[in-house]
Amino acid sequence: MPRRDPALARRLRELLDERIVDGLTLTEATALVPAHPAHLVRAFSTAYGIAPHQYLMSRRVERARRLLLAGRTPAEVAAETGFYDQAHLTRQFKRLVGVTPAATGPAPAEPAGVSRRSAA
């Protein structure tokens, strides 16, 4: 059973949250949080039930979802949330959310004079 180290896990999580867009390599993390890379990953995974990279991807996807719902385009969102390109965003988004970013945008505006009740 892995040794619990909640303080170490919490510090890594704080670093990941600070660097959602830029990301954080394991080498950078171990320079900022003095611990062996394997211990750092195990402590985080034990504390949160998810690997650090998966956590970072899930935070990026959640941020991307909010921007898409606000009306931003997938290309803009990819650049603003730390994905390499729109295809990278689409792969990660679909894997975690189950639909593509394009299917997540804001609801289309109703044509003038048409309401949902009268269309039914």
Side-chain angles (χ1 to χ4, degrees), residues 66-79:
R66 287 193 313 269
L67 291 171
L68 289 163
L69 289 172
R72 306 297 289 278
T73 68
E76 291 172 329
V77 169

Side-chain angles (χ1 to χ4, degrees), residues 17-103:
D17 287 340
E18 290 169 8
R19 299 186 56 184
I20 291 173
V21 174
D22 296 329
L24 182 71
T25 67
L26 194 52
T27 302
E28 292 169 329
T30 56
L32 296 168
V33 180
H36 188 276
H39 179 64
L40 197 56
V41 171
R42 273 194 305 270
F44 189 93
S45 298
T46 300
Y48 299 108
I50 187 172
H53 184 259
Q54 291 172 318
Y55 174 79
L56 182 62
M57 286 296 113
S58 68
R59 293 298 310 268
R60 285 179 176 170
V61 166
E62 177 55 32
R63 187 173 183 176
R65 188 184 71 75
R66 287 193 313 269
L67 291 171
L68 289 163
L69 289 172
R72 306 297 289 278
T73 68
E76 291 172 329
V77 169
E80 292 179 31
T81 53
F83 290 100
Y84 181 73
D85 57 17
Q86 186 175 342
H88 186 211
L89 166 67
T90 299
R91 280 191 309 276
Q92 295 299 320
F93 198 94
K94 188 166 184 181
R95 186 175 66 80
L96 291 171
V97 180
V99 297
T100 64

